[in-house]
Amino acid sequence: MTELFTNSWAEAWGAALNHSEDYRKAGKSWDGAIVLEALADATRGLAATAAVFLDLSQGACREARLATETDLRTASYVISGPLAVWLTVLDGEIAPTMAILRGKLKLKRGSLAGLLPHVHAATALVRVAQTVVTTAPPATRHVPHSGLAPAADPVAAPVPAPIPAPPARQVMQSTSATGLRYELFPMKLWDKAKRLGIWNPADIDFSQDTRDWETLSDGERDLLLRLAALFQAGEEAVTIDILPLLDVIASEGRLEEQLYLTSFIWEEAKHVEAIRRFLDAVGAQGHDLAHFHSPSYRTIFSEALPEAMSRLRTDRSPVAQARASATYNMIVEGVLAETGYHVFHRILTERNIMPGMQTVAGYLKADESRHLAYGIYLLSRLTVEHGDVVWYAIVERMNTLLDPAIAIIGEAFAAYPEDAVPFGLTPEPFVQYAMGQFQKRMDRVERARHESIAELNAQSAD
């Protein structure tokens, strides 16, 4: 057995990579060196900062050893972090992508956007590392209270309760002594939805959009169609899949949340119509746009989202609710949709084109900001009410879905030559934007581990 972050461990890892069919497939497009640096931590047996060097080429490892100072200056990527975090990564408690996005690991060299095409390879790297038999530093492999995943003996998820038949209604809350609790955060969102969410897709004028479309190059049209096709199918999917969440909230007697969620589904339905009207205006009628949906896109929208939401029909446990909301709100809306609006805004406003679609993007962004606020509230409420079993379920879901979510951005840019992406776009600013928004929201939910319901409801909806 070998110790972590030693030359023998690096060599064993490299040999394992060369015998791994999983890594050979996942890493076939990766060609370059990476350095993984663990900061000194005497309490866990690492007296000095140590780093390993992996020279990777098309699904193979050409060299694996301790890194040198030259490697730290010249490797394509250098990822650095505390030994405690590396232990959670190597134990599979947090995915490498999530550790970077949450700022637990730092990308000291190389760009996050450059890593986009290799997120699956990075995960496969870690899976192979987990097969290398090691001795842990003198402290435990698990790091208590890391905030990333259970230190030991994670609490089991609640056993799903059988779904009872709806009881006969004896009392309506709104006519009871309780009435409506206007101080609850969802009621603040409901108030905003009534004031700001009233718009009609049929009223938006796309005539200038049609004229502007004729001035674009083939590549520019392709990129806008790709982006709109990703939005269109995504909005349709969330409109279809949200219904079980409404059922669960209603079954728990959370009338104020249910009132807000009526606007939620209505707004998602309007998004479907609005984007379709744009597509019709620019001549996409009769065209099948499904070829724009990449493998990672289908992983999220055809598998993960419907599975998590439909499970609520038979499992209303807090963990199932957390998995569904994390998928819907944190991944679909928080990482993908919000980043997509950012791209649309950048393209259309800088060129000053397509005022109709600019209007749509503005409405969608405003609507989705409320949806995201509710999702963060729901995940925070579940964490407050049920403790770390919910928090760990959220972390597990993010570990699973962040790679395909980030890969969707990479796959979209990979459709064009690196030096000739339409509209002069580069992935870096959009990845950084997605990373910042994701980190902020995960931090907000994590704070709920130490908050009360009253504190959650005291927050402003603005």
Side-chain angles (χ1 to χ4, degrees), residues 238-249:
V238 295
T239 302
I240 293 169
D241 293 327
I242 192 178
L243 288 172
L245 179 61
L246 272 73
D247 288 342
V248 169
I249 297 300

Side-chain angles (χ1 to χ4, degrees), residues 26-27 97 115-125 127 296 403-404 407 411:
T97 304
L115 276 176
L116 280 181
H118 311 305
V119 291
H120 298 309
T123 300
L125 269 177
R127 283 198 297 266
S296 296
D403 277 7
E411 288 165 351

Side-chain angles (χ1 to χ4, degrees), residues 365-405:
K365 183 173 178 61
D367 290 348
E368 298 288 4
S369 70
R370 295 189 294 275
H371 301 178
L372 276 163
Y374 174 75
I376 300 306
Y377 172 83
L378 175 58
L379 291 170
S380 298
R381 174 174 65 72
L382 291 168
T383 300
V384 170
E385 293 173 342
H386 303 284
D388 278 350
V389 64
V390 165
W391 168 246
Y392 297 144
I394 296 168
V395 171
E396 182 277 330
R397 195 62 172 165
M398 295 301 96
N399 279 340
T400 301
L401 296 182
L402 262 179
D403 277 7

Side-chain angles (χ1 to χ4, degrees), residues 49-130:
T49 294
V52 297
F53 169 91
L54 300 173
D55 186 8
L56 306 169
S57 178
Q58 301 175 7
C61 181
R62 292 182 292 204
E63 186 178 11
R65 53 173 170 76
L66 278 180
T68 66
E69 289 297 326
T70 299
D71 296 331
L72 289 165
R73 294 192 302 269
T74 61
S76 300
Y77 301 99
V78 176
I79 303 175
S80 178
L83 178 61
V85 176
W86 281 116
L87 293 177
T88 61
V89 170
L90 294 170
D91 282 337
E93 295 176 359
I94 184 171
T97 304
M98 185 170 172
I100 294 172
L101 289 179
R102 293 211 64 205
K104 307 295 183 181
L105 296 176
K106 305 295 184 184
L107 193 59
K108 290 178 61 176
R109 183 173 175 82
S111 72
L112 187 59
L115 276 176
L116 280 181
H118 311 305
V119 291
H120 298 309
T123 300
L125 269 177
V126 172
R127 283 198 297 266
V128 173
Q130 292 164 354

Side-chain angles (χ1 to χ4, degrees), residues 85-335:
V85 176
W86 281 116
L87 293 177
T88 61
V89 170
L90 294 170
D91 282 337
E93 295 176 359
I94 184 171
T97 304
M98 185 170 172
I100 294 172
L101 289 179
R102 293 211 64 205
K104 307 295 183 181
L105 296 176
K106 305 295 184 184
L107 193 59
K108 290 178 61 176
R109 183 173 175 82
S111 72
L112 187 59
L115 276 176
L116 280 181
H118 311 305
V119 291
H120 298 309
T123 300
L125 269 177
V126 172
R127 283 198 297 266
V128 173
Q130 292 164 354
T131 68
V132 178
V133 179
T134 64
T135 57
T140 68
R141 286 296 303 271
H142 289 277
V143 184
H145 311 301
S146 67
L148 302 176
D153 300 325
V155 181
V159 176
I163 305 301
R169 277 197 190 90
Q170 303 297 325
V171 176
M172 293 292 186
Q173 178 185 318
S174 62
T175 57
S176 72
T178 301
L180 288 176
R181 294 166 293 182
Y182 300 107
E183 75 279 4
L184 297 187
F185 183 73
M187 287 297 287
K188 300 173 187 177
L189 294 175
W190 171 232
D191 187 60
K192 285 191 70 174
K194 290 179 295 180
R195 290 186 288 108
L196 305 176
I198 308 303
W199 59 279
N200 183 358
D203 292 339
I204 298 173
D205 182 3
F206 291 106
S207 57
Q208 183 61 46
D209 298 56
T210 303
R211 292 189 288 271
D212 289 339
W213 184 260
E214 297 302 318
T215 70
L216 300 179
S217 69
D218 288 345
E220 290 169 337
R221 293 179 186 178
D222 185 82
L223 189 147
L224 286 177
L225 277 180
R226 181 181 305 276
L227 190 57
L230 297 178
F231 264 115
Q232 181 67 17
E235 296 290 353
E236 181 178 343
V238 295
T239 302
I240 293 169
D241 293 327
I242 192 178
L243 288 172
L245 179 61
L246 272 73
D247 288 342
V248 169
I249 297 300
S251 73
E252 293 183 346
R254 301 181 187 275
L255 179 60
E256 293 82 3
E257 292 188 39
Q258 189 181 2
L259 289 180
Y260 171 66
L261 285 171
T262 63
S263 72
F264 202 121
I265 190 169
W266 180 57
E267 288 164 355
E268 298 288 20
K270 287 196 296 180
H271 301 171
V272 175
E273 179 187 352
I275 299 172
R276 185 64 245 184
R277 285 182 179 275
F278 166 76
L279 288 169
D280 292 343
V282 299
Q285 305 101 317
H287 295 277
D288 186 354
L289 303 178
H291 65 280
F292 288 122
H293 301 157
S294 66
S296 296
Y297 185 90
R298 290 190 290 272
T299 294
I300 298 290
F301 288 95
S302 299
E303 299 172 20
L305 179 65
E307 181 277 328
M309 300 304 289
S310 64
R311 180 173 177 175
L312 294 176
R313 298 188 188 281
T314 57
D315 179 1
R316 295 177 177 173
S317 68
V319 165
Q321 292 182 48
R323 290 178 76 252
S325 179
T327 305
Y328 195 122
N329 302 115
M330 294 290 285
I331 292 293
V332 170
E333 293 185 317
V335 174

